Amino acid sequence: MSTLPATVWRASQLGHAGIAARSSGFPAIDAELPGAGWPVGMLTELIGRESGIGELRLLVPLLRQVTRERRFVVLLAPPHLPYAPALASHGIDLDYLLVVQAPNAADRLWAVEQTLKSAAFGALLAWLPQQRTRPEHLRRMQSAAQTAGGPAFLFRPLAAQFEASPAPLRLLLLPRPHQQLSVQILKRRGPVMVDPVLIDLPQPVSAIRLRARPPAAPALQPVHARTGHDASRAGTLN
């Protein structure tokens, strides 16, 4: 059979056909994703041991691009209030970033469905508690995501990796030393992924230290007259 419907793919190959996607900003990850990027019109689960391991920085390239397009990114029930200066330092336009608090499951489900239906929707990041998230909730979210114009991410705790999910893409995130993150694909439209992808997490622009041009010394000032304190300040620009 030479051609397959868009909803069917060969187990030995990534199912690129019929999948709209946006680049993750990491070539090594794009190479492993059906559609070569974060899928549009379906849920992506990001499963981690705890929050703050780099899961938001994994999405920085996408969020930067979406907000520059003047489309809204919705953060639904984040466990910690995002630090605005840090997000801005990564080039994310805060004018197009919305934080929605939803204390119970019914409110979260309603907020997800309404967000995905919005014409201004760019991306959704939703944190779901394990105890109050049922299979029917996930099925309704996946159904709503099919008509969305951007990626939809669900952040779930480590125990969720052992449960069935309607999300077509599921990733396990584990922290690694030296500002790196291990990304293991648990489920995708394609073959089983044996080895995880190790990526360098984006660093904020403000963290980059630039070497400054040394100031010109006065014509008659001997070199030994400069103090050690002055010399140490001449090397970097904060």
Side-chain angles (χ1 to χ4, degrees), residues 211-217 226 234-235:
R211 294 188 64 82
R213 178 180 299 175
R226 298 186 63 186

Side-chain angles (χ1 to χ4, degrees), residues 63-64 69-70 92 96-97 121 125 127 130 145 172 210:
L63 303 187
R64 181 168 52 231
E69 295 172 0
R70 299 185 179 181
I92 297 172
Y96 293 92
L97 198 67
F121 168 75
L125 284 63
W127 283 260
Q130 186 70 4
L172 175 65
L210 302 176

Side-chain angles (χ1 to χ4, degrees), residues 38 43-56 58-59 126-130 133 138 152-176 181-188 196-197:
W38 299 125
L43 294 179
T44 295
E45 287 190 3
L46 302 179
I47 300 170
R49 183 176 59 198
E50 58 190 358
S51 60
I53 62 172
E55 67 277 15
L56 276 182
L58 173 65
L59 302 180
W127 283 260
L128 302 182
Q130 186 70 4
T133 300
L138 296 174
F153 301 92
L154 302 182
F155 295 91
R156 305 195 64 196
L158 198 60
Q161 68 178 304
F162 303 110
E163 300 179 357
S165 170
L169 182 61
R170 309 184 77 200
L171 281 68
L172 175 65
L173 310 179
L174 296 174
R176 290 293 180 262
L181 187 69
S182 169
V183 180
Q184 175 75 53
I185 299 179
L186 302 177
K187 178 184 177 182
R188 62 179 174 178
V197 174

Side-chain angles (χ1 to χ4, degrees), residues 63 71-78 96-100 111-112 115-116 118 120-127 153:
L63 303 187
R71 301 176 69 194
F72 283 97
V73 173
V74 176
L75 279 64
L76 176 63
Y96 293 92
L97 198 67
L98 300 177
V99 177
V100 178
V112 166
T115 297
L116 295 174
S118 171
F121 168 75
L124 169 68
L125 284 63
W127 283 260
F153 301 92

Side-chain angles (χ1 to χ4, degrees), residues 123-144:
L124 169 68
L125 284 63
W127 283 260
L128 302 182
Q130 186 70 4
Q131 302 87 345
R132 291 177 288 174
T133 300
R134 299 195 296 270
E136 57 266 31
H137 294 156
L138 296 174
R139 286 194 293 270
R140 284 185 60 180
M141 291 179 189
Q142 169 59 19
S143 178

Side-chain angles (χ1 to χ4, degrees), residues 27-41:
I29 293 181
D30 286 349
E32 300 293 342
L33 296 179
W38 299 125
V40 174

